[in-house]
Amino acid sequence: MRVKVPQTIVTFPSGSEIVVYNYLTKDAITCAPADTYWLTVAPDWTSIEDILVAHPHFEPQSLQHEIKALVDLGILLEEGSSNAVKEANYNHSWELGRAAGFFHFAVMDNEYADLSESVSRQKHRTLADPSPDLFWRNSDKAISLPKCNRAESQPLFDVMLKRRTNRNALPDSISLPELSECLYAGLGVVGFVKSETCLLPLKLTPSGGARNPFEAFVWARNVSDVSPGIYHYSGLDHSLEKLATDTSQLPMDLFKGQDWTDNMPAIIFLVAELRRTSWKYNDPNAYRVVLIEAGHIAQNMMLACANNNLTTCPTAALSHRHVSALLGLSDITQTPIYALLVGKPGANSDVILEPGIQNCHPTSHWAA
Ligand SMILES: Cc1cc2nc3c(=O)[nH]c(=O)nc-3n(C[C@H](O)[C@H](O)[C@H](O)COP(=O)(O)O)c2cc1C
């Protein structure tokens, strides 16, 4: 048996102890500072016999036992194990550095508070530590800007004003042309630009280095003229290809138990192929670039839907593991980031107030 310390270990203090955390597998132990020595004994594949030989002052059986325990806890890798394969994939494919890797894997599939827990936590916190202001004001020295021509004369503003998150979808289907416009607005290829090395696709949204890392997958649940199933959207071909027929799964299982998602006729998953961006930019800030782009794409999709009087509800509360399984993604650099749930809007249950100074205090809602 050969063992190795994974590249994806980070350590940090916790009181007088040290937490050793493998962010790729999410395994963690807390140990005495001296025990972190064992993280240095096998920087590459090393047999247990060689470790024993290098530590003659240790009783071999108990040392062997310790090493096996660290393997079982996910802190040391055993050659050929599933964790070792995972780490080899990471070493081969992850080009965005340790800081982005730590963030990316550590936040995946995390627990979310449900709505009532979240509300009660916020109410409780409001009492002792009110929310920071949700906007910054200017002084009376500021230049007043001319009123924006809102809906009256500007169709763009008209559409932007129509976009609203409404989680209450009617049981109606959405049409294929409506879905088509939404996908095209976000990811349709509208041209190419020549770079030093290749032709880069241009879309209706900007992309860092025109690397366009995103793909869209659609779970069509109730779209006219489309049989239910999981589809891939090709922005170049502007077509949908079926990958799987409808699943017995419920959307809420993919969205951390948010039950309103079960009523939505179409679900769009935005999946990043991180290597498209990291091929050019191999620094952790490129990870931010990818996340920013998800916002651009989603906004265009949401506006296209608003233009067709559809509601789109965005969510980042994904069960990444379940979504990846549903979409058949296995490469660690292909990662679901964001989802949009599209439907015909019913009555919006959100309380929406007109802008006005009386609504400016973030806690005024609770007090009311
Ligand atoms: C990145 C992001 C993640 C969101 N995640 C959720 C979510 O998990 N569940 C949800 O009900 N709404 C989610 N929303 C929707 C927001 O609650 C909504 O945008 C906000 O209340 C403002 O309303 P508006 O979209 O009508 O302007 C998300 C919005 C964004 C931008």
Side-chain angles (χ1 to χ4, degrees), residues 122-189:
Q122 289 172 69
K123 282 188 171 176
H124 190 255
R125 185 162 187 188
T126 297
L127 299 174
D129 174 22
S131 164
D133 283 348
L134 299 182
F135 24 68
W136 290 356
R137 308 296 306 270
N138 284 340
S139 74
D140 53 8
K141 294 191 200 84
I143 306 164
S144 284
L145 296 171
K147 280 246 172 315
C148 294
N149 274 339
R150 292 168 46 133
E152 298 86 41
S153 58
Q154 294 209 31
L156 177 62
F157 276 79
D158 186 23
V159 176
M160 290 196 290
L161 280 162
K162 263 198 219 161
R163 186 211 60 81
R164 200 83 284 148
T165 297
N166 179 348
R167 300 167 189 83
N168 184 22
L170 298 174
D172 309 15
S173 60
I174 66 161
S175 74
L176 188 54
E178 287 167 341
L179 180 62
S180 165
E181 284 179 21
C182 164
L183 294 167
Y184 186 72
L187 287 171
V189 174

Side-chain angles (χ1 to χ4, degrees), residues 249-305:
Q249 229 162 346
L250 283 174
M252 76 168 188
D253 297 335
L254 305 177
F255 300 115
K256 302 288 176 183
Q258 299 186 82
D259 53 4
W260 55 269
T261 60
D262 287 349
N263 299 328
M264 292 290 182
I267 303 173
I268 298 169
F269 297 96
L270 296 182
V271 171
E273 171 44 283
L274 298 171
R275 270 166 67 80
R276 287 189 197 158
T277 299
S278 68
W279 184 85
K280 179 173 179 186
Y281 305 111
N282 57 355
D283 64 281
N285 192 51
Y287 191 78
R288 282 196 192 199
V289 170
V290 172
L291 300 186
I292 289 167
E293 287 181 37
H296 289 302
I297 294 163
Q299 181 73 4
N300 259 25
M301 288 182 164
M302 291 192 280
L303 291 178
C305 287

Side-chain angles (χ1 to χ4, degrees), residues 53-73:
V53 169
H55 297 83
H57 43 294
F58 278 86
E59 205 276 300
Q61 228 175 353
S62 71
L63 181 52
Q64 204 160 351
H65 185 262
E66 286 301 319
I67 291 168
K68 285 204 171 126
L70 285 174
V71 169
D72 290 344
L73 291 165

